[in-house]
């Protein structure tokens, strides 16, 4: 982990790939299952795309929902090697997600736990690429957790992690971009709308609610309009 933290994002994940599924950084199954459950009423879909697919955990969401072929895209060769071994039936593409190499090919795109690897200024390129990759009427979906209360340990743990990463990236090259507090929902909605999506959210009911009754997680649903007129 120490070697990974002092590497670039790509090299770090190449190194971590064989053990990634056993780390806390893999999206928990309960989040994947809740996402699949919330997406089911909007399907079935044709072809599916997992953006920043890592070792392929998102295939458990796409596979049952998509009647066509599913594809994962990531820039880490090591992560893709693990994904290919676990899901040989899928298509795997190595590419920079800020310049996705697809054009109107997919009906559903998902991403899990990857947006913190992009600086806020890089999100527009990602969202524009996903928009371009979807067919008219296609859907881009991803889960977001509710922000932790300021009095909670998690709030301060995430704040501290981001502070450490900012110091690390200020004094060490290459940078390792991984932040937990750079993707507030209002900013994501704004960037998605600017990319041409119609944006709604639904509660991830399977994750339950907080003490105030608000959902612990929401599913962002960004729809490419049928027509851009």
């Amino acid at each position: 982990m120490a070697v990974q933290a002092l590497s670039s994002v790509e090299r770090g994940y190449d190194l971590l790939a064989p053990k990634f599924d056993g780390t806390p950084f893999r999206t928990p199954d309960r989040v994947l299952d809740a996402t699949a459950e919330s997406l089911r009423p909007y399907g079935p879909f044709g072809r599916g795309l997992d953006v920043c697919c890592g070792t392929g955990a998102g295939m458990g969401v796409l596979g049952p929902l998509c009647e066509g072929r599913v594809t994962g895209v990531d820039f880490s060769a090591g992560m893709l090697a693990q994904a290919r071994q676990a899901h040989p039936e899928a298509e795997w593409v190595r590419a920079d997600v800020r310049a996705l190499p697809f054009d109107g090919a997919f009906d559903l795109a998902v991403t899990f736990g990857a947006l913190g690897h992009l600086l806020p200024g890089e999100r527009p390129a990602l969202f524009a690429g996903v928009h371009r990759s979807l067919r008219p009427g296609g859907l881009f979906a991803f889960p977001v957790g509710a922000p932790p209360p300021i009095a909670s340990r998690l709030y301060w743990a995430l704040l501290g992690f981001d502070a450490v990463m900012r110091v690390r990236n200020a004094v060490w090259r290459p940078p390792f971009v991984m932040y937990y507090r750079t993707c507030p929902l209002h900013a994501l909605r704004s960037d998605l709308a600017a990319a041409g999506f119609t944006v709604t959210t639904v509660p991830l009911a399977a994750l339950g609610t907080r003490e105030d009754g608000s959902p612990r997680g929401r599913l962002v649903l960004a729809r490419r309009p049928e027509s851009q007129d």
Side-chain angles (χ1 to χ4, degrees), residues 41-202:
Y42 299 91
F45 300 92
R47 293 188 63 193
L49 175 67
D50 186 359
V51 181
C52 300
C53 63
T55 56
M59 291 297 141
V61 175
L62 289 176
L65 293 172
C66 296
E67 298 176 336
R69 193 168 190 184
V70 293
T71 299
V73 58
D74 202 285
F75 75 161
S76 167
M79 298 290 269
L80 287 171
Q82 297 296 314
R84 190 173 292 110
Q85 183 176 352
H87 303 277
E89 74 287 354
E91 178 183 16
W92 304 101
V93 176
R94 188 182 182 195
D96 187 334
V97 297
R98 296 167 296 186
L100 287 169
F102 310 113
D103 188 4
F106 301 97
D107 303 283
L108 173 64
V110 296
T111 193
F112 297 99
L115 296 179
H117 287 303
L118 297 168
L119 296 172
E122 297 174 318
R123 281 199 305 261
L126 168 67
F127 291 164
V130 175
H131 187 278
R132 186 177 61 252
S133 299
L134 290 169
R135 296 188 178 102
L139 186 65
F140 178 35
F142 55 89
V144 294
I150 192 171
S152 68
R153 291 182 180 179
L154 180 58
Y155 176 93
W156 293 102
L158 297 181
L159 182 66
F161 181 92
D162 282 10
V164 169
M165 290 303 296
R166 290 185 186 281
V167 171
R168 178 257 186 239
N169 289 333
V171 302
W172 192 271
R173 293 291 183 273
F176 189 92
V177 178
M178 182 178 177
Y179 299 111
Y180 285 101
R181 291 168 44 82
T182 57
C183 303
L185 181 55
H186 67 86
L188 296 174
R189 293 182 70 120
S190 177
D191 288 347
L192 287 164
F197 287 103
T198 301
V199 187
T200 59
T201 68
V202 295

